[in-house]
Amino acid sequence: MHSPSSPGGRTGRPRSAAADAAILAATRDALVELGWSKLTMSDVSTRAGVAKTTLYRRWAGKNELVVDAVAELFDSLELPDRGSLEADVEDVVLQFAKLLRRPEARTALMAVVAESTRDEALRDRIRSAIVDRQKRLVVLGRERAQARGELPYEEDAALAGRSTDLVFDVIAGTVVHRALVSSEPVDEVWAAAFTALLMHGLRAGAGPA
């Protein structure tokens, strides 16, 4: 999987992590100020203080650059170990909501999602760079819950994969809708109620068919 920190098989001088970070931060700033339609690679290069050729050595175009700028924000999410699956989920829900309150995260996410409705390649990149990477949180949470005895182990890998997809979609979709579509608060009270509902479904699903 290509990411902003990997050269994708290209040869030459090693990538600079500092330059990558500056470029991605400049991209998010430009999105907030200019919006998707007015954002250009030239504008990003100027803001980041790098040559435009440096951008194109790393990213083929604006779509790839913006997705990686969003992905970097989402990679900051962590699943804490608070002793129970319910507490862990509540924590990550609140982290996610806090991230979505940041103008650069909110604007960048909405921009790439809107643009992806007419760009299949962009949808694929969002899936690989953001969605698939963030499913790690669901996998880790399930593994911890299984180790604690809160959830049973799943021997069917395909079934476990479908379960991961569903839980991720429910959490991410609900929080995004609440925060960005409904513009309602995602506070501790809401997070606790949502998590309790999710736990009821997970425990019910763990019982006999």
Side-chain angles (χ1 to χ4, degrees), residues 48-86:
V50 300
K52 191 159 65 171
T53 53
T54 300
L55 288 185
Y56 283 108
R57 280 198 298 269
R58 289 159 161 77
W59 294 275
K62 181 169 77 171
N63 287 2
E64 293 83 357
L65 175 58
V66 173
V67 170
D68 284 354
V70 177
E72 185 181 55
L73 290 177
F74 281 77
D75 284 343
S76 69
L77 295 173
E78 296 180 352
L79 185 68
D81 189 348
R82 295 180 56 192
S84 74
L85 179 59
E86 191 162 358

Side-chain angles (χ1 to χ4, degrees), residues 67 70-71 74 125-135:
V67 170
V70 177
F74 281 77
R125 190 171 183 87
I126 291 171
R127 186 180 301 111
S128 63
I130 300 175
V131 176
D132 289 347
R133 288 220 298 254
Q134 294 313 310
K135 286 178 183 176

Side-chain angles (χ1 to χ4, degrees), residues 38-123:
K38 294 183 179 179
L39 176 68
T40 66
M41 298 291 271
S42 294
D43 185 78
V44 172
S45 68
T46 299
R47 289 169 183 261
V50 300
K52 191 159 65 171
T53 53
T54 300
L55 288 185
Y56 283 108
R57 280 198 298 269
R58 289 159 161 77
W59 294 275
K62 181 169 77 171
N63 287 2
E64 293 83 357
L65 175 58
V66 173
V67 170
D68 284 354
V70 177
E72 185 181 55
L73 290 177
F74 281 77
D75 284 343
S76 69
L77 295 173
E78 296 180 352
L79 185 68
D81 189 348
R82 295 180 56 192
S84 74
L85 179 59
E86 191 162 358
D88 292 352
V89 172
E90 281 186 40
D91 193 291
V92 82
V93 164
L94 291 171
Q95 279 186 63
F96 187 27
K98 183 178 180 180
L99 176 61
L100 293 178
R101 286 196 293 271
R102 293 171 56 177
E104 66 273 25
R106 183 171 59 248
T107 301
L109 179 62
M110 296 295 274
V112 295
V113 169
E115 190 66 20
S116 71
T117 60
R118 48 184 176 270
D119 187 330
E120 184 175 353
L122 181 56
R123 287 198 299 273

